[in-house]
Amino acid sequence: MRDLKEYISCGIDKVSGWCNSNLFKIITTVDGMVLEGGATGGIGEIGVHHGKFFIGLQHLRPECSALALDLFEDQDKNIDRSGCGSLDLFKENLKQFSPSPEKVDIVAVDSMELSAEDIASFRERHGRFSYFSVDGGHTVTHTIRDYWTAESLTDPNGVIFIDDYYNPDWPGVQEGIAKLYLMQSPFFVPLCYGFNKLLLVGMSRHRIYLEKLKQELSQKNELKIKVVSRFGWQSLSVRLNI
């Protein structure tokens, strides 16, 4: 696939998994701000499954290295039975739809077992990512642990995605995020929620990103936005205007 538009129109529905293509209406708007902020690194994801969202993100930084973490066939460690990805299918989808499959660093691993040395090694190989998606295990513990991994690997001007934040089938995600903000002090804070993902940005850039995103999304007639408060931070709720 040559670019993101082509992937969304011709490829994303051919990759099994869960990702609403409307999400990229938000992401492509945010991307200009991320670049202006100085985040030029690649993308990473915990829980790539078969690559539906991962490949879409990679089209934003095709020239950069990308990190794909997943249990894949080691499903004995998938205690909540979320995902159940296949390494072979992921590789096949990269071959067909990725803009640069040769730049993807695939690591079959339980994210709960990542050490400080592992994370330092990822950072040494890839630098700080512009985008990092958290979509691994959906328990409270997985959500909290994977968030901290994402924070340590993401550029302060970048974006962290939390999947299934409001999904009623996975309440552990919302509970985990609530515990993060009520009991700890994450650097990344809520920017907006839309199409099944919560977007978090560094608190130093939050106000700038929020104002620009609100202004630009309000001009898209197909979207409806509302300003809400999440854990003391103004953020947006975004959905289709139907």
Side-chain angles (χ1 to χ4, degrees):
M1 292 288 163
R2 290 172 301 182
D3 57 32
L4 179 58
K5 287 184 178 179
E6 184 179 358
Y7 174 65
I8 291 173
S9 63
C10 303
I12 196 168
D13 290 337
K14 297 177 182 177
V15 180
S16 58
W18 307 269
C19 177
N20 188 322
S21 61
N22 287 298
L23 175 65
F24 288 97
K25 298 178 188 296
I26 302 173
I27 296 173
T28 52
T29 303
V30 170
D31 191 47
M33 305 169 205
V34 170
L35 285 169
E36 286 177 11
T40 57
I43 64 106
E45 183 169 34
I46 295 173
V48 298
H49 192 57
H50 300 153
K52 196 179 189 80
F53 184 50
F54 181 90
I55 292 169
L57 284 181
Q58 198 190 7
H59 276 85
L60 298 173
R61 298 291 187 277
E63 73 284 359
C64 297
S65 62
L67 177 64
L69 306 175
D70 200 292
L71 288 172
F72 294 116
E73 275 67 35
D74 194 7
Q75 289 298 312
D76 288 345
K77 296 177 180 177
N78 186 2
I79 62 173
D80 63 357
R81 313 313 298 169
S82 59
C84 303
S86 162
L87 180 56
D88 288 341
L89 283 175
F90 178 59
K91 288 181 175 179
E92 181 60 31
N93 289 331
L94 288 178
K95 190 183 302 182
Q96 289 190 57
F97 305 114
S98 167
S100 45
E102 74 283 355
K103 292 186 178 296
V104 179
D105 181 9
I106 302 173
V107 181
V109 67
D110 180 354
S111 63
M112 294 293 94
E113 298 177 0
L114 291 174
S115 65
E117 290 74 21
D118 292 327
I119 293 170
S121 176
F122 295 149
R123 203 158 50 225
E124 183 177 347
R125 296 205 303 267
H126 302 286
R128 297 270 188 174
F129 295 107
S130 294
Y131 296 102
F132 201 99
S133 169
V134 173
D135 192 11
H138 284 41
T139 68
V140 174
T141 303
H142 281 88
T143 301
I144 294 172
R145 179 73 176 270
D146 289 348
Y147 166 81
W148 288 117
T149 296
E151 181 176 300
S152 68
L153 291 172
T154 305
D155 188 290
N157 299 299
V159 178
I160 294 174
F161 300 91
I162 306 294
D163 188 64
D164 284 323
Y165 179 65
Y166 281 131
N167 191 327
D169 290 335
W170 305 107
V173 176
Q174 192 174 53
E175 183 180 344
I177 293 298
K179 285 188 173 180
L180 267 174
Y181 288 104
L182 296 176
M183 301 175 68
Q184 301 181 59
S185 299
F187 174 70
F188 283 74
V189 297
L191 174 69
C192 76
Y193 172 85
F195 308 108
N196 204 44
K197 294 190 189 289
L198 180 67
L199 281 67
L200 310 175
V201 297
M203 62 173 62
S204 302
R205 301 288 293 177
H206 176 268
R207 181 182 58 81
I208 297 171
Y209 285 14
L210 179 66
E211 290 304 315
K212 288 186 177 181
L213 185 63
K214 181 171 63 173
Q215 180 179 14
E216 294 193 29
L217 291 185
S218 65
Q219 298 174 22
K220 296 181 184 292
N221 294 329
E222 72 274 21
L223 298 179
K224 184 173 183 178
I225 65 171
K226 181 180 180 182
V227 178
V228 300
S229 178
R230 291 186 173 93
F231 308 108
W233 293 89
Q234 276 200 329
S235 63
L236 303 179
S237 286
V238 183
R239 58 187 174 88
L240 289 179
N241 190 16
I242 53 174

